[in-house]
Amino acid sequence: MVKPVLRWTFIAALVLALLSVLALWSWGRFAASAQGEPSSALSAAPAVTRLDRLVAPMLAQHAPEASGAALVHDGVQAFVARARSARAAERSLDVQYYIWRHDMTGKLLEHELMAAAERGVRVRLLIDDMNVGGLDDALRAMDSHPNVEVRLFNPARNRSSTVMRAVEMGLRFIGFNRRMHNKAWIADNRVALVGGRNVGDEYFDASADTNFQDADLLLLGAAVGETSGHFDRFWNSAAVVPLGALHTAPPRWSLDDFSQHRQQWLADAAASPWIKALAGRDDLDEKLRGDDLPIHWSPSIHVVSDPPEKASAVRARRDPAGWLLYDVMTLLFSARQESWVISPYFVPGDGGALMLSGQARRGVQVRVLTNSLVANDVPLVHAGYRGYRETLLRHGVQLYELRPGEAKTDRELLGSSGASLHTKAFVVDGQRGFVGSFNFDPRSAQLNTEMGVVFDHPGLAAEVKQLFDQGARPAAAWKVQWDDSQGALRWTGAEGERVWHHEPESSAGLRLLVWAMSFLPLESQL
């Protein structure tokens, strides 16, 4: 009885493996034949567009290699910065995201991209295909405009059937599991926004449920050219396919249909704070001059990114020497006095835990802010993180876990009463730092492509440290401690509040689920 079962199991596994290899081979041939025409960022000029005329005088006051960076952490402000820069653009908009939701803020930014295209602006929109399901009608309508091209990173060929898409994802798991996690918004090759935000209501404080606390850097100068260079490398890579190559039938929505949808979206959102913020005085000039948003200038500000080949299903095409991981680890290894880490998904692995523990043992102040179980939108990640807490705490690392709602500011309360950490940032010795898309976990290190900004500037570092302090204060986060007398963890908040001896505010069922998931051999995928 056992032998037939083993035989059929072996045959099934062999067939599945052959189908997987065939699916990978077939997709590779298709992607090679469907490559779009290469293109590159349109060069900035001294005084051709409004953004040229605004930015060029500021650049003239600094060395050619210098860049300006302003921290943008307010959700509404982040939305307005994207929309206003799109309205100011007269030459090009290059936009790259892991997630683009077709919700209120996503629709409004789709409208801004289309409005720019209708003014003659060239728009290149690059989105990872993992979360594009259901968006094809809107994206195809945009793609049908002569000034817009939409491309997808590592897309599924099956666009109409959810079941077939899932089957393809399963058969191509080795390749499909590797995603483009980059986030960039570039206007006229003069202004860029790079950071941790995707496009969607929860990233701009517009969700009725839970909003993400996040951060971008608004960039001027040499760093914008670096951002455009990274964008071009992805846009022209073998992993990217034009949306039009994935469809044979005409789009369901014509440009006229899409225009009507856009007008309805504007009407539906007319009373929202996001439309009202755009309806006010256009203060983009003041913001870019630093009147309203502190801009820090330094030649040390650089945009770094993984190469698109990191996401290749073929191991021989992946060259780890060029990965962002090494920029991040170089930064963290340089700590002598303090190392502060903000990471919503924190799974340090044995190597990361050893590095942070070793630093703490040698007198470096190591502080980590991450999500609590009830604030984490991915419980499986918390299952991977929970086992490292005791080791880190015993060696002197300070751990803080964000509460699900108390950390909201007045502006953030526009959307919901829930909060989840999404900022990815590090600060070392109060001087050097990183803001971007890189989580301190195996997925960011080994699977997904990531990007961000590294800097060596005390003023910018101080602002990022302030973000940490804001998130780690007792009203916003629980401090996790090791209780030697009990041989267990405890969570403390503000003075007089309850001391927790299990994951705060979590149900027994959720704690049991996370405990069970912690035994799954999936850490490399987290």
Side-chain angles (χ1 to χ4, degrees):
M1 180 66 182
V2 175
K3 288 185 177 180
V5 171
L6 290 176
R7 182 170 63 251
W8 284 110
T9 300
F10 173 77
I11 292 173
L14 181 62
V15 170
L16 184 61
L18 290 173
L19 288 174
S20 181
V21 170
L22 180 62
L24 288 168
W25 174 81
S26 175
W27 189 90
R29 283 178 58 87
F30 163 75
S33 66
Q35 289 291 291
E37 288 293 323
S39 65
S40 58
L42 299 179
S43 299
V48 174
T49 72
R50 174 188 169 190
L51 290 175
D52 287 333
R53 293 187 291 273
L54 176 60
V55 174
M58 289 187 282
L59 299 183
Q61 300 174 28
H62 302 277
E65 66 273 16
S67 299
L71 186 66
V72 182
H73 58 85
D74 178 86
V76 177
Q77 191 177 61
F79 170 81
V80 170
R82 287 163 172 79
R84 287 216 190 282
S85 62
R87 291 184 178 186
E90 298 174 36
R91 179 171 43 244
S92 63
L93 285 166
D94 292 334
V95 179
Q96 178 181 17
Y97 282 97
Y98 172 60
I99 293 173
W100 189 295
R101 305 273 190 225
H102 194 58
D103 51 20
M104 182 190 71
T105 54
K107 291 173 181 177
L108 292 177
L109 290 178
E110 288 169 31
H111 167 74
E112 296 297 341
L113 294 181
M114 287 300 293
E118 290 165 352
R119 297 194 308 270
V121 176
R122 187 191 73 172
V123 177
R124 296 189 295 174
L125 177 58
L126 174 58
I127 307 176
D128 185 275
D129 191 48
M130 176 62 81
N131 298 284
V132 168
L135 265 176
D136 278 29
D137 285 341
L139 293 178
R140 292 187 71 196
M142 296 176 69
D143 190 59
S144 67
H145 193 284
N147 289 333
V148 180
E149 184 174 4
V150 179
R151 295 186 182 182
L152 301 180
F153 185 90
N154 194 8
R157 295 178 66 180
N158 292 283
R159 311 306 298 175
S160 57
S161 169
T162 302
V163 173
M164 292 306 297
R165 178 181 170 90
V167 170
E168 180 183 350
M169 289 171 62
L171 291 175
R172 283 182 48 216
F173 178 78
I174 294 175
F176 211 83
N177 187 40
R178 295 176 173 273
R179 309 312 314 177
M180 180 191 76
H181 201 229
N182 304 40
K183 292 102 173 171
W185 181 286
I186 313 163
D188 278 357
N189 208 5
R190 283 296 195 183
V191 178
L193 284 150
V194 174
R197 277 188 180 87
N198 293 296
V199 171
D201 286 353
E202 63 268 39
Y203 301 97
F204 300 121
D205 293 332
S207 172
D209 299 316
T210 296
N211 286 301
F212 288 124
Q213 296 180 14
D214 219 323
D216 301 306
L217 285 176
L218 185 150
L219 301 170
L220 305 171
V224 178
E226 293 172 348
T227 309
S228 291
H230 294 308
F231 180 94
D232 285 346
R233 189 170 181 182
F234 275 83
W235 183 259
N236 297 312
S237 73
V240 169
V241 175
L243 178 62
L246 296 166
H247 292 274
T248 55
R252 289 179 54 197
W253 293 357
S254 68
L255 282 175
D256 287 340
D257 294 333
F258 194 52
S259 178
Q260 292 177 19
H261 285 298
R262 288 163 53 199
Q263 295 309 311
Q264 186 61 53
W265 299 341
L266 292 173
D268 292 343
S272 74
W274 296 267
I275 288 291
K276 289 180 178 179
L278 287 175
R281 184 176 61 87
D282 186 346
D283 59 352
L284 181 64
D285 292 20
E286 288 90 337
K287 278 187 167 54
L288 295 185
R289 284 196 297 262
D291 298 346
D292 185 46
L293 202 62
I295 298 179
H296 307 279
W297 288 87
S298 172
S300 72
I301 297 170
H302 294 288
V303 179
V304 290
S305 173
D306 283 314
E309 292 78 17
K310 180 185 176 184
S312 174
V314 181
R315 186 171 185 176
R317 297 176 184 169
R318 304 195 294 264
D319 180 11
W323 291 2
L324 178 60
L325 169 67
Y326 296 99
D327 296 288
V328 171
M329 296 309 290
T330 298
L331 173 66
L332 292 174
F333 268 119
S334 72
R336 294 296 178 266
Q337 288 86 39
E338 58 185 26
S339 182
W340 293 17
V341 176
I342 307 175
S343 183
Y345 310 130
F346 182 70
V347 185
D350 291 336
L354 177 63
M355 180 192 70
L356 296 176
S357 297
Q359 288 181 330
R361 287 288 297 271
R362 287 161 178 77
V364 176
Q365 184 192 53
V366 181
R367 307 177 77 198
V368 177
L369 174 63
T370 189
N371 278 309
S372 64
L373 173 57
V374 286
N376 201 320
D377 63 321
V378 187
L380 185 59
V381 171
H382 197 85
Y385 151 68
R386 66 190 296 275
Y388 291 101
R389 290 182 294 201
E390 179 181 343
T391 297
L392 293 169
L393 291 169
R394 281 179 171 273
H395 288 94
V397 175
Q398 300 175 33
L399 284 181
Y400 302 86
E401 295 181 358
L402 188 79
R403 300 182 184 220
E406 286 80 355
K408 308 300 286 178
T409 66
D410 290 341
R411 173 59 66 85
E412 289 166 333
L413 282 170
L414 288 169
S416 75
S417 60
S420 183
L421 186 68
H422 202 257
T423 303
K424 279 78 71 172
F426 316 125
V427 178
V428 170
D429 294 343
Q431 178 80 25
R432 302 175 300 284
F434 169 89
V435 175
S437 69
F438 187 96
N439 285 293
F440 206 103
D441 64 13
R443 175 159 288 278
S444 282
Q446 302 292 336
L447 297 176
N448 291 346
T449 68
E450 307 287 353
M451 74 182 300
V453 182
V454 293
F455 59 86
D456 188 341
H457 190 285
L460 189 52
E463 286 198 53
V464 178
K465 287 183 68 174
Q466 188 175 9
L467 275 186
F468 189 108
D469 283 334
Q470 179 76 5
R473 72 192 195 280
W478 290 290
K479 185 173 185 179
V480 190
Q481 298 170 304
W482 179 254
D483 188 336
D484 280 322
S485 64
Q486 299 293 324
L489 300 175
R490 68 180 180 190
W491 288 257
T492 59
E495 186 176 353
E497 286 189 336
R498 173 181 175 179
V499 176
W500 296 83
H501 296 281
H502 60 68
E503 307 274 4
E505 297 184 6
S506 61
S507 67
L510 179 58
R511 295 195 300 274
L512 178 62
L513 175 64
V514 169
W515 172 81
M517 288 192 296
S518 68
F519 292 98
L520 297 174
L522 297 175
E523 183 171 310
S524 64
Q525 305 300 307
L526 301 179

